Amino acid sequence: GQSLEQPSEVTAVEGAIVQINCTYQTSGFYGLSWYQQHDGGAPTFLSYNALDGLEETGRFSSFLSRSDSYGYLLLQELQMKDSASYFCAVRGVSGNTGKLIFGQGTTLQVKP
Amino acid sequence: NAGVTQTPKFRILKIGQSMTLQCTQDMNHNYMYWYRQDPGMGLKLIYYSVGAGITDKGEVPNGYNVSRSTTEDFPLRLELAAPSQTSVYFCASLGLANTGELFFGEGSRLTVL
């Protein structure tokens, strides 16, 4: 089937580095995306990996390895405002170019 | 630039009622999506469209219908509302650049009593 697995919760302290993993059981997708969602808000786009390797955007980096069916989001220099839910997503599952599904999300709690 | 606009933001329905959630985007995006999000959970794909006149089922389509008569509009119809449809609904469109970026509306919070 098509599924993306993420840890449900991660806790870290301000200033630290945290990695949120996403493993998937699907193939043929176009790329792996990451979204941030604060309580009561809409998801906002963070990063996208079309190819294997590391993409860096400021304090956030994202990595994809298709051979390992694995990706991660790396958050550096954590700030209190980074406390939110983080979702990985893939498009193009099962040969359907438009189909875009999300993982269950990881709640990140940043402590002082 | 308004982006993706959803209406209404809040709605309370009685069991068995029907309603339409409206979604419009002004970015000329071909791909549009409807998701639902239950408390503490991820986004589940209800329906999606890759262009005007083309729609397809997502992960949880039962109890919903969509249409896509124009590029701009992608309404979601709930028929015979049930308590299980209490959720937050998000409409989104996929950017034209190959960045994988979805642009989301603010969400519609629906309660069925």
Side-chain angles (χ1 to χ4, degrees):
Chain A
Q2 312 149 18
S3 66
L4 297 98
E5 301 294 328
Q6 302 179 234
S8 57
E9 293 182 1
V10 173
T11 302
V13 296
E14 208 172 1
I17 299 172
V18 71
Q19 178 174 313
I20 298 174
N21 298 326
C22 175
T23 58
Y24 53 85
Q25 295 180 13
T26 186
S27 61
F29 62 89
Y30 289 106
L32 183 73
S33 302
W34 288 92
Y35 290 82
Q36 179 191 61
Q37 186 181 34
H38 286 99
D39 278 348
T44 56
F45 174 77
L46 290 176
S47 186
Y48 177 66
N49 292 74
L51 303 174
D52 284 7
L54 191 68
E55 292 286 340
E56 297 179 82
T57 309
R59 293 188 298 116
F60 296 169
S61 302
S62 58
F63 174 82
L64 174 63
S65 170
R66 291 177 186 267
S67 59
D68 295 323
S69 298
Y70 165 73
Y72 66 74
L73 179 69
L74 191 73
L75 295 83
Q76 302 181 74
E77 301 173 14
L78 280 175
Q79 302 175 7
M80 297 299 291
K81 67 177 182 180
D82 296 329
S83 292
S85 293
Y86 293 84
F87 299 90
C88 58
V90 294
R91 179 174 72 89
V93 295
S94 300
N96 297 312
T97 59
K99 192 171 187 179
L100 201 161
I101 62 172
F102 283 78
Q104 286 293 89
T106 300
T107 300
L108 170 63
Q109 184 178 14
V110 180
K111 295 186 174 181
Chain B
N1 192 343
V4 179
T5 303
Q6 288 181 236
T7 57
K9 288 186 171 53
F10 302 93
R11 182 74 185 268
I12 298 175
L13 282 181
K14 294 182 179 179
I15 294 173
Q17 287 185 321
S18 299
M19 75 161 296
T20 299
L21 297 176
Q22 301 291 344
C23 177
T24 187
Q25 52 94 7
D26 61 358
M27 298 173 282
N28 201 33
H29 292 166
N30 290 316
Y31 290 15
M32 295 188 72
Y33 302 82
W34 275 106
Y35 295 92
R36 60 173 289 173
Q37 186 176 34
D38 298 334
M41 304 296 285
L43 293 93
K44 288 294 186 184
L45 180 63
I46 306 172
Y47 270 95
Y48 65 98
S49 168
V50 299
I54 306 169
T55 62
D56 210 343
K57 295 179 180 179
E59 302 169 286
V60 289
N62 291 344
Y64 307 94
N65 278 298
V66 292
S67 59
R68 185 91 182 273
S69 57
T70 67
T71 299
E72 293 78 19
D73 300 307
F74 190 40
L76 178 71
R77 178 81 176 164
L78 282 74
E79 305 281 1
L80 300 175
S84 61
Q85 292 179 304
T86 293
S87 191
V88 179
Y89 292 83
F90 287 102
C91 178
S93 66
L94 185 65
L96 295 174
N98 189 28
T99 61
E101 180 175 2
L102 276 177
F103 293 81
F104 282 87
E106 294 181 345
S108 299
R109 187 176 299 274
L110 177 67
T111 302
V112 182
L113 300 174

